[in-house]
Amino acid sequence: QADDTETELAQVYYALETAPSGTVVTFKQLLEESLPKPLNADAIYLGPAFTLGANSEDGVALTELDGEMELRWKLPSGYHPPVGYKLAVHYFDNRTNYWDEEEWQDIEISTAGDFVYAHDNRLGSYMLVLVPEE
């Protein structure tokens, strides 16, 4: 949180078995005000937001990993989205010029118990949000 208080709304777990040997992977947690692009007006930030990046053994920036990562957010026990909203994970490709090209994209998620799961191999920014149901 911006005021240094802690929240139990979500935690991020990630598995990096998919990185090639010698890869250096970086993880950076973001506050809402430091996102690479403002959220769409209808999305509600739940956080945490984070950026994953990686460089090969010879220092070349990677755009994706060889296999999918499992990204997992832990919700408070028994959490349910407010009426009219659903959970979503937004992804943003940090390498693009977002003013001209990419917007936040929803990626496929699943839920089980108190967890929200997403699987992806792209490096960039991810966050848990609430979006209006369609």
Side-chain angles (χ1 to χ4, degrees), residues 10 39-40 42-50 71 73 75 79 81-82 85-91 104-111 115-118 125-134:
L39 285 175
N40 298 334
D42 58 353
I44 298 171
Y45 176 84
L46 290 180
F50 61 93
L71 309 166
W73 286 260
L75 299 169
Y79 177 82
Y85 285 88
K86 65 179 181 176
L87 292 165
V89 171
H90 278 359
Y91 164 79
W104 287 101
Q105 305 169 38
D106 283 346
I107 64 173
E108 188 173 331
I109 65 168
S110 61
T111 57
F115 289 92
V116 175
Y117 295 90
S125 296
Y126 293 87
M127 83 170 73
L128 185 64
V129 295
L130 288 171
V131 294
E133 290 180 330
E134 297 162 356

Side-chain angles (χ1 to χ4, degrees), residues 74-96:
K74 185 178 185 327
L75 299 169
S77 181
Y79 177 82
H80 295 286
V83 174
Y85 285 88
K86 65 179 181 176
L87 292 165
V89 171
H90 278 359
Y91 164 79
F92 184 80
D93 183 342
N94 293 345
R95 296 170 302 109
T96 63

